[in-house]
Amino acid sequence: MVEREVTVTNRAGLHTRPASMIVRRGSQFASDFYIQKDGYEINGKSIIGVMTLAAEQGATLTLLFEGPDEEEAADALEALFADGFGEA
Amino acid sequence: MPHHAAPFRKEALSVAELVTHLRTDVSVGLEVLTPEVDLQANQVTESYLHRPGLALAGFVELYTHQRVQILGNTECAYLRSLDATARRDAVQRVLAFPVPCFILTHGNKAPDGLAELMRESGVALLRTPEPTTEFMALVREFLQDQFALQQAVHGALVDVYGTGLLLMGKPGIGKSEVALDLVERGHRLVADDVVIATRREANLLMGSGTDLVQHFMEVRGLGLVDVRAMFGIRAIRFQKRIELVVNMHLWDADEEYTRLGMVQDMYELLGVSLPMVKIPITPGKNITVICEVVAMNHLLRQYGYDPAEVFADRLRERIQQKQGPLPQRAVEYFEHDFE
């Protein structure tokens, strides 16, 4: 199990486009992928789930990975958040 | 066993929310006798209620001041029996504690000076015409639900023939597709992808969707589908007891699958054990029909008919009769209407 703390940096927050980017990237790995926000946890490979987080700019999320490629998956998703999904 | 999300629960409810919910959702008459007090400021944090008779009489050890305080006939009669000074002392003794609110039941008139003292301490005084015991039962039930343990579950919840069936499995296995297929066949969707499970009682789990998503679902290749807009009101519902788990996963040759249904697999969710059926996904398998059969089998079992038991009994009887080595033809004589 790998755990990473990330922050939503783009102004619009996790709206539909970033949410689908997260799901698409997460689904490329075999590992299970979960996201937590204030004790609420969803499956990171479910777009509806990611959207229910309704995470705003500045929100802190915990990413959890479990599986054979958990390290690679964690790095990939962390990079996606660090990049602000290519948005300002 | 897959990773389990942590359960969560509501930490606090403001007195303002309590009043609104009791009026609208529980249909209880409730008037605020201290309109000057800010109802947002005081928080209820527990589902238990308390009648502060002993505390008013002077015994404040173990006083559960953090609970909603109920002033019934006894408490009111006691306060009225005191002279003005003693009454003031009694009320101030309980108001020295951080109390969320006081509720007069049975339409009791506030004993003289009570409302003023509450106002000065910034504690709300409410009144209901309901009898004490009935009112306490209603409020307790409401608060128990508000502070119940909850958990977000990745799955789809569908009402199949009145049975709350929770479809689970890895992302992409086809839960949404099966849910959609069930809806198409006349069953009702509660939620897809994110189901919020709430433990109402020790053995009772309720499921609902989230306020944001409601009856939207994502179908891979199609995008978002609004089941309510597309199929109408008959295709949805907002809450359903979770009674059964159908766990979908890819066929695994090493996995032992239930063949006769003599042993029931269980799935633990928020401390409640739910009967679980593990379904391997193989080509040509109609999961929707299997879900319907699973639900109907559950109903039969609920009403005391267990097909596996019935068949086992029949077999046992046959063995005891020692009727011979070969099974008999089911029809003894074929009459002329050849079907």
Side-chain angles (χ1 to χ4, degrees), chain A residues 32 41 46-48 52 66, chain B residues 3 154 170 193-194 213 218:
Chain A
D32 292 335
E41 180 181 299
S46 148
I47 183 136
I48 296 258
T52 59
E66 197 171 22
Chain B
H3 163 84
H154 180 64
K170 295 236 180 209
D193 260 330
V194 181
V213 178
E218 187 230 352

Side-chain angles (χ1 to χ4, degrees), chain B residues 298-331:
Chain B
H298 176 76
L299 289 175
L300 278 176
R301 280 209 183 114
Q302 288 272 281
Y303 293 125
Y305 184 94
D306 187 331
E309 288 283 337
V310 171
F311 194 85
D313 283 348
R314 192 183 290 184
L315 179 61
R316 202 174 307 124
E317 207 175 295
R318 183 61 57 92
I319 290 168
Q320 279 164 1
Q321 283 173 357
K322 298 195 179 78
Q323 276 199 336
L326 290 171
Q328 303 289 313
R329 196 169 70 186
V331 176

